[in-house]
Amino acid sequence: MSVGILLITHEGIGSAILAVATRLLRTLPLRTEVLEVPFEGDPDALLPLASAALRRVDGGQGVLVLTDLYGATPSNLAAKVARLGTPVRRVSALSLPMLLRVMNYAEEDLDELPMVAGAGARNGVIVDEA
Amino acid sequence: MIERELTVSNRLGLHARATAKLVQLLSAYRSTTTLTAKGREVNAKSIMGVMLLAAGQGTQVKLRVEGEDEDATAEAVCALFERRFDEDS
């Protein structure tokens, strides 16, 4: 059993990052879905969609929800789905290095994966002075 | 411990797809594995680590493997480099 991954982002972000990660890794070791929130999206109206996506990726070990921008509507929606009963941990500032690191630590449980995701994002920032 | 000198010979170098392939290959082995290039040693089981080498075509890298399955690990990595990461075909 493993943790599910749900990307909740602004339009165009989550699907693009997931597409590249899938190209690089060929198959993703964790069940992953994307929910993109339109600019005019109403978080309350989107909650059933988010809830359905959450249930689809949950294999019983909980779901790591990755959002692109803390405090924005997608991350506020993520906060709402975290209160539905399924064990959820949330990390913001989704990036390709973050998602790749999470997939590289696919055997970790839900309590460990937020730190893995955070380290992935931080380690991905290289101020290139070479 | 096993050390091998390898050359990155595929056209695109250790780019993202090649790196992902290396890291996925190594996930099946238990040995501690590092790559050293341009004076920098990185964990070969970490995608960002290997990407940090920014190793283009022709770069010399030193493979260092230590652990119970170091022979098989080194052989698998050398084979992947020799196959040019299954690219350039």
Side-chain angles (χ1 to χ4, degrees), chain A residues 23-27 97 100-101 104 120 123-124 126, chain B residues 16-17 20-21 23-24 27 43 45-48 52:
Chain A
R23 273 301 291 276
L24 294 178
L25 302 177
R26 287 173 297 170
T27 54
L100 292 176
R101 189 173 175 95
N104 210 14
N123 296 349
I126 311 294
Chain B
R17 242 172 309 144
K21 198 165 227 177
V23 171
Q24 284 179 319
S27 71
N43 176 5
K45 293 183 168 183
S46 155
I47 292 179
M48 270 320 292
L52 262 176

Side-chain angles (χ1 to χ4, degrees), chain B residues 2-70:
Chain B
I2 297 177
E3 286 189 350
R4 294 278 167 78
E5 294 289 343
L6 301 171
T7 304
V8 179
S9 51
N10 60 317
R11 191 173 58 82
L12 297 174
L14 280 178
H15 64 125
R17 242 172 309 144
T19 298
K21 198 165 227 177
L22 171 67
V23 171
Q24 284 179 319
L25 173 85
L26 283 172
S27 71
Y29 297 92
R30 304 169 65 92
S31 292
T32 302
T33 308
T34 66
L35 289 177
T36 306
K38 308 174 195 172
R40 176 179 252 161
E41 182 169 26
V42 301
N43 176 5
K45 293 183 168 183
S46 155
I47 292 179
M48 270 320 292
V50 176
M51 301 280 292
L52 262 176
L53 294 178
Q57 187 177 30
T59 305
Q60 299 287 325
V61 300
K62 182 187 277 180
L63 170 72
R64 192 172 282 150
V65 190
E66 186 157 22
E68 56 195 83
D69 57 358
E70 57 189 28

Side-chain angles (χ1 to χ4, degrees), chain A residues 66-123:
Chain A
L66 304 177
T67 65
D68 52 356
L69 183 65
Y70 185 80
T73 301
S75 96
N76 295 339
L77 176 62
K80 283 203 170 76
V81 295
R83 291 189 222 106
L84 296 179
T86 302
V88 166
R89 299 291 299 274
R90 288 169 287 141
V91 180
S92 62
L94 170 65
S95 65
L96 194 49
M98 175 191 285
L99 187 59
L100 292 176
R101 189 173 175 95
V102 166
M103 293 300 164
N104 210 14
Y105 285 80
E107 70 289 351
E108 298 289 342
D109 61 29
L110 186 60
D111 285 334
E112 303 297 327
L113 281 178
M115 293 309 291
V116 168
R122 278 192 299 278
N123 296 349

